[in-house]
Amino acid sequence: LSPYEQHYSKPSVKLFKNAEEFFGINARNVLFLDDKIENISEAEKCGWNTIHVKSEDQLIKKLQEESIL
């Protein structure tokens, strides 16, 4: 599911909502990772859990804090 195929570009709430429908997922069950704060902000508007990736070390630490790693 690419933004190009959906005729939307990130950040777009519509793109995130289409992804939910396409994959049959609930927003509460999504963890969205991105390095751009504008994409994070739009995903959060949809109720998605997010991690703003700033570095590999920061991401690993955050995933460990969340008991994902």
Side-chain angles (χ1 to χ4, degrees):
L1 184 68
S2 75
Y4 176 76
E5 293 170 334
Q6 295 296 305
H7 307 288
Y8 301 105
S9 62
K10 290 190 302 184
S12 167
V13 168
K14 185 85 170 151
L15 176 67
F16 295 120
K17 290 296 184 184
N18 283 352
E20 289 176 27
E21 185 176 321
F22 181 84
F23 291 108
I25 54 177
N26 184 302
R28 293 187 319 261
N29 298 326
V30 175
L31 176 59
F32 180 74
L33 312 173
D34 205 290
D35 62 337
K36 295 185 179 174
I37 193 67
E38 58 269 19
N39 295 336
I40 293 293
S41 296
E42 290 300 297
E44 288 175 345
K45 288 179 187 176
C46 296
W48 291 18
N49 301 295
T50 64
I51 296 177
H52 182 205
V53 179
K54 299 173 187 168
S55 70
E56 183 178 344
D57 290 339
Q58 171 261 343
L59 174 59
I60 291 169
K61 182 178 178 184
K62 184 67 175 171
L63 292 173
Q64 289 171 335
E65 288 172 1
E66 299 294 329
S67 299
I68 297 170
L69 280 182

